[in-house]
Amino acid sequence: MSIKRQTLWSIAPLVVATVINVASVPLFYRYLGPEMYALWFYVLTFTGAFGFMDLGLGVAVGRYVGVALGQNDLQAVREYWGTGNAVAIPLLAAMALIFAVIGATFGPSWFNVAPPFVSLLRWSFVAGGVGLFLSYYGQFWLILSQAHLDFRFLSLLRIGTSLLQIIPSIILAWGTHNPLILVCWAAAVAALQLAIFVRHAKKTYSLGFDLSHAGWSRVHEMAAYTGKTFVSLLVNSLFGSADRLVLGKLAPPAVFTNYAIASNAGSRILGLSAAAMGPVFSNTNRAIGQGGRESVASVYNEIFDFTFPWYALVSIWVLFWHPVLLRFWLGANLGAAVTPLFVPLVIGCCLTGISNISTAQLGSLNRVGTGLAFNMATCLLLVVGVYFGWHWNAVVGVAWAFLGSRIVLVAQDFFVIRLIRAGGWLATQTWKNLGLQLAVGLAFFFSGLIWPRSSAWQLLPAFLHGGCVATWLLRHPARSFLLGFRST
């Protein structure tokens, strides 16, 4: 299976989840109300701050298992995997307990929660700790499937679990108006997904927990890589969500909710590129294990050329059409409140999505320290930007500070492109595509000016713009799919 097709399988469940989430945001907001919606996102925001929970062990195990598979050393695969399990299970359990204790103890004093809801927030953090363990340990098994390039299985499973989590959550929000119930349901779905991962690994890869194959020699071998990855995850988790953590303290729940809605939309778009990181990371590991270091550039070019036009489309489409989009999606009042935040947050997430390609390859190339330096610079710029942005223009200033901090990630892209001699941002085709998309977007935008900006008829040129460009971008994948289908 080609890298591009692996990426498409990885993206498929996130596309499904994104579509459902976009449709569900106004429903959750309506059923929970601004205060309960904000409380739910306080827990989710703090969960994001624990992105370092496995101390980088999952990425390290994925890297070493991938290289061992490239070398066809199945005994080493079993040893790396068994050692990872022996360390991960108690580690993740301890970190989940710390999350629950810190959240329940300090959450009510950090976030703006009314006194009657303090107990609800605390129990939500306790349930969130259980869900966190199940999710991160499930992620550990997901990385094992990625190392085996089993992206079709991952796609189908994640589509199923996404539907199982989100659709019943909407019904539960409608029936209970209680975010604690939603946190508990997410934990239950994570438990089911973990059970399926374990069963599939035993059946398909002949790998179980393999604790008997754990060894201190493998711990020592992976220690340095794990340590550098942990520091990178720690910096990104604690400071990468600095905008939401600071707003949770400074902003009232209604303002935080507006920012959370825009940030959630951007995060869903960003998640599409996180799906591409798996194929990039795994195939680069295989190439290094096989001694094909020169093919690393081709991995970068293939994924960049595939994803960049889509992120360009999203950025340009949002730039031109966000007022009518938000009014149609969220309603007049909520849409107007989210409008000034939407463009900088979504474009910032698109730039982050593009940079995830270089981030994945830095890990495979054992340049985790270099990636950490770029990560720290990004987070530092974000923290400084949030401080000045809030004093400059409150929540709108914070949104633009988020976008401004992405310049460091673009610099990381240029570093990796020069390191591996790839194309990416330096390729002429990249700028031709961007210029053409801007021209098309402007043409549709000006054609839509025959109607007032507040008119629902603006949706017509908006969807024609998106549909025409998307159809153009899909012409080659559709042709390849049809040829492959006919050959089978």
Side-chain angles (χ1 to χ4, degrees), residues 272-445:
L272 299 178
S273 104
M277 290 181 74
V280 171
F281 183 71
S282 301
N283 281 278
T284 305
N285 290 334
R286 288 284 186 105
I288 293 172
Q290 294 168 352
R293 200 176 178 91
E294 67 282 351
S295 63
V296 172
S298 65
V299 172
Y300 184 94
N301 289 335
E302 184 173 354
I303 300 301
F304 185 95
D305 293 343
F306 176 65
T307 58
F308 175 82
W310 289 101
Y311 277 113
L313 170 59
V314 171
S315 299
I316 294 168
W317 194 76
V318 164
L319 177 65
F320 288 142
W321 306 110
H322 68 280
V324 64
L325 167 68
L326 292 174
R327 188 166 55 252
F328 175 76
W329 177 34
L330 301 174
N333 294 331
L334 183 58
V338 174
T339 291
L341 313 173
F342 201 70
V343 170
L345 288 175
V346 170
I347 294 180
C349 286
C350 287
L351 290 174
T352 307
I354 294 171
S355 73
N356 277 342
I357 305 171
S358 59
T359 298
Q361 288 207 311
L362 283 172
S364 296
L365 294 168
N366 203 11
R367 292 278 193 137
V368 179
T370 304
L372 173 61
F374 281 109
N375 201 359
M376 291 182 67
T378 303
C379 295
L380 180 61
L381 187 58
L382 176 61
V383 171
V384 173
V386 166
Y387 175 80
F388 286 105
W390 177 260
H391 287 85
W392 163 56
N393 198 13
V395 67
V396 177
V398 173
W400 284 98
F402 176 83
L403 174 58
S405 65
R406 305 302 98 175
I407 191 172
V408 180
L409 297 179
V410 176
Q412 174 186 283
D413 288 343
F414 278 97
F415 173 82
V416 172
I417 288 167
R418 297 296 296 272
L419 176 68
I420 63 177
R421 298 181 182 179
W425 290 104
L426 298 178
T428 304
Q429 183 60 33
T430 299
W431 296 99
K432 285 183 178 179
N433 181 277
L434 183 60
L436 180 61
Q437 287 213 40
L438 276 171
V440 172
L442 283 169
F444 278 102
F445 176 76

Side-chain angles (χ1 to χ4, degrees), residues 78 144-145 148 150 153 200-207:
R78 197 171 296 278
L144 177 66
S145 293
H148 284 83
D150 198 357
F153 158 73
H200 181 78
K202 288 181 177 179
K203 180 180 179 181
T204 308
Y205 321 132
S206 299
L207 291 172

Side-chain angles (χ1 to χ4, degrees), residues 117-167:
F117 303 127
V118 168
S119 178
L120 178 62
L121 179 67
R122 285 181 171 145
W123 281 110
S124 296
F125 274 116
V126 172
V130 176
L132 203 63
F133 170 81
L134 294 168
S135 296
Y136 269 87
Y137 191 47
Q139 185 77 10
F140 199 75
W141 289 79
L142 179 147
I143 290 173
L144 177 66
S145 293
Q146 288 182 338
H148 284 83
L149 307 183
D150 198 357
F151 292 99
R152 183 177 182 273
F153 158 73
L154 290 174
S155 177
L156 296 174
L157 174 60
R158 293 169 73 189
I159 288 174
T161 53
S162 294
L163 294 172
L164 184 61
Q165 179 180 337
I166 298 171
I167 294 176

Side-chain angles (χ1 to χ4, degrees), residues 35-296:
E35 204 152 12
M36 290 297 95
Y37 190 91
L39 189 150
W40 184 32
F41 262 84
Y42 293 152
V43 178
L44 296 180
T45 297
F46 197 60
T47 300
F50 264 65
F52 60 90
M53 184 167 162
D54 71 345
L55 307 188
L57 182 63
V59 175
V61 171
R63 196 252 179 187
Y64 282 90
V65 167
V67 172
L69 287 170
Q71 297 169 341
N72 201 28
D73 188 347
L74 301 183
Q75 179 60 27
V77 169
R78 197 171 296 278
E79 291 173 1
Y80 288 128
W81 178 242
T83 302
N85 273 298
V87 177
I89 294 173
L91 170 65
L92 292 177
M95 294 298 290
L97 179 62
I98 292 171
F99 170 90
V101 171
I102 293 177
T105 304
F106 299 105
S109 61
W110 179 260
F111 296 109
N112 287 321
V113 182
F117 303 127
V118 168
S119 178
L120 178 62
L121 179 67
R122 285 181 171 145
W123 281 110
S124 296
F125 274 116
V126 172
V130 176
L132 203 63
F133 170 81
L134 294 168
S135 296
Y136 269 87
Y137 191 47
Q139 185 77 10
F140 199 75
W141 289 79
L142 179 147
I143 290 173
L144 177 66
S145 293
Q146 288 182 338
H148 284 83
L149 307 183
D150 198 357
F151 292 99
R152 183 177 182 273
F153 158 73
L154 290 174
S155 177
L156 296 174
L157 174 60
R158 293 169 73 189
I159 288 174
T161 53
S162 294
L163 294 172
L164 184 61
Q165 179 180 337
I166 298 171
I167 294 176
S169 291
I170 297 173
I171 299 172
L172 291 170
W174 168 74
T176 67
H177 315 292
N178 191 330
L180 173 59
I181 302 298
L182 305 187
V183 176
C184 291
W185 178 250
V189 175
L192 174 62
Q193 181 174 261
L194 173 59
I196 295 173
F197 273 134
V198 174
R199 182 178 181 276
H200 181 78
K202 288 181 177 179
K203 180 180 179 181
T204 308
Y205 321 132
S206 299
L207 291 172
F209 295 94
D210 290 301
L211 299 177
S212 61
H213 291 85
W216 284 110
S217 61
R218 296 305 188 187
V219 172
H220 293 150
E221 186 178 354
M222 294 187 289
Y225 187 94
T226 302
K228 290 184 287 186
T229 304
F230 161 63
V231 176
S232 181
L233 290 172
L234 179 65
V235 170
N236 188 57
S237 298
L238 293 180
F239 297 104
S241 57
D243 50 344
R244 283 153 288 165
L245 289 172
V246 171
L247 284 177
K249 179 66 174 177
L250 299 176
V255 174
F256 179 85
T257 296
N258 296 337
Y259 191 93
I261 290 173
S263 180
N264 184 43
S267 298
R268 295 297 172 182
I269 296 168
L270 174 58
L272 299 178
S273 104
M277 290 181 74
V280 171
F281 183 71
S282 301
N283 281 278
T284 305
N285 290 334
R286 288 284 186 105
I288 293 172
Q290 294 168 352
R293 200 176 178 91
E294 67 282 351
S295 63
V296 172

